[in-house]
Amino acid sequence: MPIHTTEHGWVLETQTTAYALGLNEAGLLTHCYWGARLPNVNDYPPPPSPRDWAFNRPAQLTPEEYPGYEDMKFIDPCLKVTFADGVRDVVLRYDSAEVVEGEAPELRLHLRDVHYPFRVTLHYRVHSACDLIERYVTATNLGETPMMLERIWSAQWHLPPGDRYRLTHVTGRWLDEMHLRREPLTQGIKVLESRRLTTSHHHNPWFAIDRGNADEHQGEVWFGVLAWSGNWKLSAEVTDFSSTRLSLGVNDWDFSWRLEAGQSFTTPSSYAGYTAGGFGSASRKLHDFIRDAILPHGHTQHKILYNSWEATFFNVDEASQSTLAELAAKMGVELFVMDDGWFHGRNDDHAGLGDWWPDEKKFPNGLAPLIKRVNDLGMDFGLWVEPEMVNPNSELYRAHPDWVIHFPTRARTEGRNQLILNLGRTDVQDYLVGQLDRLLTENNITFIKWDMNRNVSEPGWPDAPGDQRELWVRHVQGVYRVWGTLRERHPNVIWQSCSGGGGRADLGILRLADQIWVSDNTEAVARLRIQEGFSHIFPANTMEAWVTDMGQERLSLEFRFHVSMCGSLGIGGHLLHWSEAQRAEAARWIALYKEIRPIIQFGDLYRLRSPQTHAFSAVQYVSKDRSEGVLFAFRTHLPIPTDLPPIYLRGLDPESRYEVEGFTGIRSGMAWMCAGLDLELRDFQSTVRRIRRV
Ligand code: GLA
């Protein structure tokens, strides 16, 4: 059992790590340890004794597991509450504990307010194989009057005492997601957040912390995520008492939740882990966990798809799509996806969203003839939708103008000519379930790309049942409910999460979506960097990557294929504009990808040289049994003369003997890893090499 009850509290052990917490002398639930697993349960330190320093009482100095706002506490707390009588102070004390066995054993710690009928339960689940601890919180109003939750975060993660920590995170914008940032944490609070109603292109609820000396392959790293697709906040705080802590949760900005008598509020989960093996090891643990425990089809191989967007944009009809489908099928594509433009009144981005039935002019006989053609060609059929959105020029909006997020006295600001349906409302949820369920029931559709192409404005909900500000959470819960219901009814459909590219990439949505459309930027050099940032969090099977015509003047088809083959391969170029020779070349890359995709989609990822910092970059995938691997290397622009440094492979079995395509001789795994190999590449040239155990 990985959960131990000790003299002082509890120790949660994973395969190689441990997390200890307990009650200190003052009865506060205190963090004790998070790091490498120690030989004996008694090895873990007891809770630190309460400390005092002028102007700083123990409330400020104790590393509490879940601090509420009370006493002289000025650190960022996890919980802020106003009770019915106006008291804005929550005094939680330990009440009881229970251990629940299961696949992921769980420790539940019940805390209660010393005066008010208010219970907070801290949940800790142990995901042993991936060295992750999951935390979330349930708050229950046990009284008879409502109370307001003003902040209720999922977890506060404490680092060992120290003052040289470095935070790694990602930032970006539309077309330019996932820049890796690495910066020292200094005294004060560093906040990353989204106020956009969705996860956002700009930041991601993910962190990796090291002591300033870790790299891809070695060093202590504490890392974690928040599994939430709405407004979120990450607060990384360093105090003048050598304490560093990271809190994650639903954003408290403009947040309020009226907790009625007898009701509970449950936060999203935060997952976090520790490794001594550097940033690469942290990523691999997250990748395994996402595949094993989060994704609906984590071990289903993804098909090579063709998507029509960059070829035909809104100009879709049976003839144009059938022609593309024929060419795609000949190249070996397995799934044909028709993007935007197929539904009622949709000729450009000014109309149609909300009316999810086939456009009568473009598809006079519905989608069935096109789907049949695609199926006859041996491919599955997929479709694009944007369920949360509505154009004012649509039947839906004309019938239900009150269904959108709005303030009655304010203009309704449009983004891409569209407004956002309020999915906090159950009538809106039911409408969408009905429409999309019908689409999926009446047509043989096995793939849905679920898009979301704007962020929020005027976040009002005039007839909200509780506080209007609950919208931020209830909308996301509504998205989860609609999507989850459709998933249940159509369990074999593969779903993709898109929000103008990578605007909704998180572990909350990956419980519903199988893949993520990483960026609308499909230029392969830009994509190298974006994909690498993405790979710090998400596994390659979730990373959908198309070969398109962007950058074709400079980048060979080979280079563009190699970049996209690093994830779940797709094609998005205009196939009618490709020459016969290019289509034949594409067919060869597709055939190769089919052979190596299990290694890429399900293997271990090693970032050998970063495209964020080097014009010569390399990434390697190794099968779980270490019998096979694939190496990709890319050179963008380097001034001459240049000597490319050797590439040192990773993740091979040191004793086994391997051959690497293009190199003579069979060498031990150890030799390939320590002596390296030399590649020759010209500017904007790339290579893929298979690695095989012999
Ligand atoms: C978004 C997506 C694109 C495409 C368009 C369609 O921008 O990210 O891939 O689907 O919408 O309007």
Side-chain angles (χ1 to χ4, degrees), residues 520-629:
D520 276 349
N521 190 341
T522 56
E523 199 264 352
V525 172
R527 198 72 180 209
L528 274 177
R529 185 197 55 65
I530 294 171
Q531 293 186 174
E532 198 216 31
F534 185 87
S535 81
H536 275 266
I537 316 170
F538 306 105
N541 60 327
T542 65
M543 184 172 85
E544 204 191 308
W546 309 341
V547 176
T548 71
D549 302 332
M550 293 253 291
Q552 59 178 326
E553 324 72 52
R554 192 174 54 162
L555 302 173
S556 66
L557 194 60
E558 175 179 57
F559 190 98
R560 285 177 278 147
F561 258 97
H562 287 168
V563 172
S564 294
M565 285 161 76
C566 290
S568 186
L569 176 66
I571 321 288
H574 200 321
L575 298 183
L576 284 172
H577 300 166
W578 289 18
S579 67
E580 193 101 2
Q582 281 177 315
R583 290 200 294 266
E585 182 186 340
R588 289 196 295 278
W589 292 124
I590 287 172
L592 172 62
Y593 183 76
K594 285 179 182 166
E595 287 177 29
I596 58 181
R597 90 177 127 185
I599 311 169
I600 294 165
Q601 295 191 7
F602 309 122
D604 287 331
L605 167 90
Y606 294 87
R607 292 176 292 258
L608 305 183
R609 289 180 59 82
S610 168
Q612 309 230 2
T613 44
H614 303 291
F616 172 52
S617 65
V619 62
Q620 184 198 348
Y621 302 80
V622 182
S623 64
K624 288 283 176 194
D625 66 0
R626 302 207 255 180
S627 66
E628 276 190 281

Side-chain angles (χ1 to χ4, degrees), residues 174 309 314 339-340 346 384 416 449 451 453 498-501 517 520 546:
W174 178 64
W309 174 244
F314 297 100
D339 210 280
D340 199 350
R346 185 72 163 174
W384 178 96
R416 209 196 188 200
K449 173 176 174 182
D451 211 335
N453 276 316
C498 173
S499 176
W517 178 232
D520 276 349
W546 309 341

Side-chain angles (χ1 to χ4, degrees), residues 197 257 388 403-405 420-430 432 460-461 463-466 468 470-482:
L197 188 65
W257 190 277
E388 292 140 272
W403 275 10
V404 299
I405 294 174
I420 307 179
L421 291 171
N422 179 349
L423 266 77
R425 296 175 62 126
T426 44
D427 49 2
V428 174
Q429 295 169 15
D430 294 343
L432 289 174
W461 182 357
D463 44 359
Q468 283 204 40
E470 291 171 24
L471 171 77
W472 297 112
V473 169
R474 291 196 189 271
H475 177 88
V476 180
Q477 290 174 338
V479 173
Y480 288 169
R481 182 181 157 236
V482 172

Side-chain angles (χ1 to χ4, degrees), residues 491-513:
N492 297 325
V493 171
I494 298 291
W495 301 78
Q496 182 187 96
S497 167
C498 173
S499 176
R504 186 154 56 192
D506 59 78
L507 271 71
I509 215 66
L510 283 180
R511 291 211 188 91
L512 301 160

Side-chain angles (χ1 to χ4, degrees), residues 158-184:
H158 292 268
L159 280 297
D163 51 13
R164 296 172 66 93
Y165 287 109
R166 193 167 60 158
L167 172 68
T168 302
H169 60 104
V170 285
T171 71
R173 53 186 172 156
W174 178 64
L175 287 185
D176 195 23
E177 298 89 339
M178 296 281 172
H179 285 268
L180 203 64
R181 310 289 181 198
R182 202 156 271 165
E183 60 196 80

